[in-house]
Amino acid sequence: SSELTQDPAVSVALGQTVRITCQGDSLRSYYASWYQQKPGQAPVLVIYGKNNRPSGIPDRFSGSSSGNTASLTITGAQAEDEADYYCNSRDSSGNHLIVIFGGGTKLTVL
Amino acid sequence: QVQLVESGGGVVQPGGSLRLSCAASGFTFSSYGMHWVRQAPGKGLEWVTFMRFDGSNKYYADSVKGRFTISRDNSKNTLYLQMNSLRAEDTAVYYCAKDMDGDYGGDFDYWGQGTLVTVSS
């Protein structure tokens, strides 16, 4: 079955750069999207497509992709970036389309 | 501004049914695909189902296929999720989410606040 793999936890020092990765076969065909979720809140889209940020998302968030791996980079991490981050992509099985999520990465800002 | 407001969650016994609603506002509801995504307590996000902007196509995760039914009423700007034969493992916060595309993009640009479904005897 299709799946996306993320590291469970990553930490970064305040103001430093951190990369969160997502691996899966579907990423060879489709771009990943990235979502930030803080405790008790709904997810928020931070990156979609090749490297697009929705309105209101700081430019310290960026995305990239190579082969079966997508990456979310936060350049100059801030305390408010501490959250869970999820990647997702669409995939297909025959004529049936699905969406798959990674297991999530808990980002700690030290 | 875009708003998605879910309702209909609650406690239900195993084998029971529940119908969730998602009232949309602030955008042309009839132009966008819509999804349901769930999150079990302390767990990650799980996609549940999708319906195309005009209701012509719908897709389901294997875990809910045959038990859950997605529908929409574009005249009422409302998305629905009929959940039958509920199991303990269906316990989760259920979010409705707007797709950036009318058909099937898989990028969710707006989410509701979620409604909690608890399946327990």
Side-chain angles (χ1 to χ4, degrees), chain A residues 2-89:
Chain A
S2 303
E3 61 180 30
L4 296 175
T5 302
Q6 297 182 241
D7 291 329
V10 171
S11 62
V12 60
L14 184 67
Q16 296 304 301
T17 296
V18 62
R19 175 176 292 182
I20 299 170
T21 61
C22 173
Q23 287 189 303
D25 287 342
S26 63
L27 301 180
R28 297 185 185 279
S29 303
Y30 303 106
Y31 287 117
S33 297
W34 291 92
Y35 303 85
Q36 176 193 71
Q37 187 179 35
K38 297 180 179 179
Q41 298 184 19
V44 172
L45 178 68
V46 295
I47 291 290
Y48 67 97
K50 190 173 184 180
N51 180 19
N52 301 302
R53 281 176 290 104
S55 174
I57 301 302
D59 61 5
R60 62 179 179 272
F61 290 89
S62 63
S64 61
S65 184
S66 178
N68 73 336
T69 302
S71 300
L72 172 70
T73 300
I74 307 174
T75 303
Q78 302 299 303
E80 60 264 32
D81 299 335
E82 186 163 290
D84 294 326
Y85 290 85
Y86 295 91
C87 61
N88 85 334
S89 81

Side-chain angles (χ1 to χ4, degrees), chain B residues 3-49:
Chain B
Q3 276 198 309
L4 298 170
V5 180
E6 301 94 338
S7 60
V11 180
V12 60
Q13 292 188 338
S17 299
L18 213 55
R19 188 197 199 201
L20 306 183
S21 299
C22 171
S25 60
F27 66 102
T28 306
F29 180 73
S30 59
S31 295
Y32 292 93
M34 295 294 296
H35 302 257
W36 288 99
V37 178
R38 67 184 181 183
Q39 187 169 34
K43 303 296 184 182
L45 300 172
E46 180 189 13
W47 174 78
V48 175
T49 180

Side-chain angles (χ1 to χ4, degrees), chain B residues 7-13 18 20 83 86 91-92 115-120:
Chain B
S7 60
V11 180
V12 60
Q13 292 188 338
L18 213 55
L20 306 183
M83 304 186 295
L86 283 161
T91 294
T115 187
L116 176 62
V117 172
T118 302
V119 184
S120 173

Side-chain angles (χ1 to χ4, degrees), chain B residues 78-119:
Chain B
T78 302
L79 180 73
Y80 302 100
L81 182 65
Q82 178 67 44
M83 304 186 295
N84 299 331
S85 303
L86 283 161
R87 307 166 180 167
E89 55 265 35
D90 295 318
T91 294
V93 172
Y94 284 74
Y95 296 100
C96 69
K98 172 186 168 293
D99 200 294
M100 296 187 76
D101 196 85
D103 193 352
Y104 192 87
D107 303 311
F108 309 147
D109 58 349
Y110 291 97
W111 299 63
Q113 84 289 350
T115 187
L116 176 62
V117 172
T118 302
V119 184

